[in-house]
Each structure stands twice: as structure tokens, then as C-alpha cells.
Amino acid sequence: QQLGNAASGKLTIKLWKVSERDKRPEGYNLKDEEGRIKDISTVTSLQVPVLMPMDLMVEVSPRRVFANAHTYHVNSISVNSDYMTYMSADDLRINLWHLDITDRSFNIVDIKPVNMEDLTEVITAAEFHPHHCNLFVYSSSKGTLRLCDMREAALCDKHSKLFEEPEDPSARSFFSEIISSVSDVKFSHSGRYLLTRDYLTAKVWDLNMESKPLETYQVHDYLRSKLCSLYENDCIFDKFECAWNGSDSVIMTGAYNNFFRMFDRNTKRDVTLEASRESSKPRAVLKPRRVCAAGGKRRKDDISVDSLDFTKKILHTAWHPNENIIAIAATNNLYIFQDKLNSEMH
């Protein structure tokens, strides 16, 4: 299993090999138990080596380093469905790489203006289509999504489709442009839909409908009245990721106070869960949490919006492609949760 990863704030991309081993060979003919070569004159008979069980060992080893292709911090990496190429994106460019070639890449998107003073938007995320190796999508700080086809031109400076939701003039404020910036975009496993995350909402888009999202989910609408203070402490610039479950029926994304949210697309039910040491003992069932908006009726066990800890934020989430297993990154902790008796939401 090979995995590409670029650490946040880095310009270099590394390819790693991750492998698991739960058996070890024993009974070599030419080596002793410590791996040293035997004196051939002492080998008087042949034996068949056997595999013996051992404790599971996970090994990670670096395979390749792809450097010197980005001037700005890499924000996205996506392996193509052809399993031969991948792309990397920074604020202004998207590069296409071959997995076997480390010293050369091809620029497929470049939005850098001749004069940087004319810059109006930056690339925030990019991903390949899960089935069609010629298609990819990238999002921008202006809240738009561009679907590109690499068959049309070597430089995809013209998109095939532009997904954009018209702004409601009555709802416009000083923060409108900041909170509409798309921080993450993910194709559904089927390839039919796009999942995006901006500061306050998660949206599902149909590839056949560019004018507006198919579904919009409020992640933490109770923060709408707190945008001024969130701007002052820079939290408004936090970049939350989003994820699909294996059947594309549930979406997940993070929030503050170590909370993460799940939305069932079929039943329209949603749940808020907490990833913390206090509430996440092994095999314990996670209890739904609820945030009470300022001035709202407060029930027992509700958390007031004024008590949320904005230093504890779930920015990174991932869902197993086949099973109901999720990974949640909270500050310096990684939590792995698995559903109980195949329950619908968690």
C-alpha cells in the first residue's frame, strides 16, 4: 500500500510505503536464526522454510521525494484512478506528476496573474474524479468549484463546468466572502456528487446541476452571531475538511470544542459527537451532544455557545472506504471510532 502525503506548510511531497506483517519465515537453509550466512560446508541437508505467526507489525518506509515544484504551500494531493499519476495543488497552481518520476511535473492549472496585485482568488483544494482519469475538480476562496477535463487542453485554464451558488444580497455582510471560501472538496465514491465545506456549511452538489447545491447542511449555524470575535481571533480562517461514508449516504465534518458532525442524507437526521479523552474510553458509546445558541432554551446537558473552546477544533476527518470506521484528528490526538452493531449514524 502506497500513500502520498505533504505536510502542511511544506513544499515537498513524499511517497511512503505502508505494510503490515503478522508472520515471519523460519528455517532458512543458508542463514541461521539471527540472519547470518552459514558456512556452506556445515549444511548437510535441505529443509523447507515455514511461516510462523508473530505480533502484527506495521512498517512505514519512504520511497520517493517529489520536490522543487511548488512555490506556495501544498494544500491538496490526489492520486488518479489510473494509479500512475497524481496531482498536487497550491494557492496558484496545480501540477500533474507521474508516480515514478520525481524531478519533473506538468503544470495543468495556473491562475497566477502577471501582476500579483490583480490576484482575486486562490486555489483551496483539488481532487481527481474517482473513475474518470481525465476529470478533476478544484475549489477557490471565492466559493466556486471548477470541473476540468484534461482531454480538452494541456493547460486547463478553461473549465468544463463552473459550480457556484448565487449570493443572497440581503444576507451580505463584511464576512460573506471569508465564510464562503471552500476549504475542502470531495467526490462521492459513485463519482456523481461533490461534497464541499465552507466555514458554516457542508454542501452536496450534483455534477449535472451547476447553478446551486443539491443539499446544504448547517454545521454550526449558532456561530453566525459570533463572526466578529471569530474574525478577531483568526478562527474564521480555519480550514475544515469533509468526508463521505462508503455508500455516500452520510457525510461528516468537524467543528469546535472537539465536536464533529454527521448528516444522514436519506433520513435528514444529524448528530453532534465529541472526540476527547474524557468522553472516549475504549468500547464506550459516544453520546450525542447539543449546543445551545445564545438566548435559546437550554436543556440538560446542553453546551452553551459561549462555553465552546475554539482552541479545540476538528479540522481533519476520514471515513473508511468500505466499513463504518472513522478517524478524527483532534489537536495532537488521533481517535478511531467504529460503529456498534451497524448503527446508522455512529
Side-chain angles (χ1 to χ4, degrees), residues 15 25 40 105 107 116 143 165 179 194 242 292 296:
L15 183 72
I40 295 180
S105 64
N107 182 227
M116 285 295 281
E165 185 174 23
I179 63 174
L194 290 168
C242 50
C292 175

Side-chain angles (χ1 to χ4, degrees), residues 77 172 274 282:
I77 290 178
R172 180 162 181 80
E274 182 179 5

Side-chain angles (χ1 to χ4, degrees), residues 179-245:
I179 63 174
S180 66
S181 175
V182 175
S183 57
D184 195 20
V185 58
K186 292 284 192 336
F187 274 104
S188 62
H189 295 85
S190 68
R192 171 68 185 271
Y193 304 103
L194 290 168
L195 171 61
T196 62
R197 173 68 203 267
D198 55 41
Y199 190 66
L200 293 178
T201 67
K203 297 174 182 176
V204 174
W205 301 75
D206 189 322
L207 285 189
N208 296 326
M209 187 169 70
E210 302 169 59
S211 59
K212 61 179 181 178
L214 190 66
E215 303 156 16
T216 300
Y217 300 94
Q218 301 296 333
V219 178
H220 38 209
D221 199 48
Y222 46 78
L223 296 182
R224 202 172 287 275
S225 61
K226 302 282 186 182
L227 294 179
C228 189
S229 57
L230 291 165
Y231 177 80
E232 290 175 351
N233 64 16
D234 283 344
C235 283
I236 201 170
F237 300 106
D238 286 335
K239 300 183 185 303
F240 293 94
E241 295 177 0
C242 50
W244 298 89
N245 73 334

Side-chain angles (χ1 to χ4, degrees), residues 67-70 88 95-98 101-107:
N68 305 321
H70 286 280
S88 57
N95 293 329
L96 180 68
W97 301 78
H98 193 286
I101 302 173
T102 60
D103 60 352
R104 186 171 70 252
S105 64
F106 297 95
N107 182 227

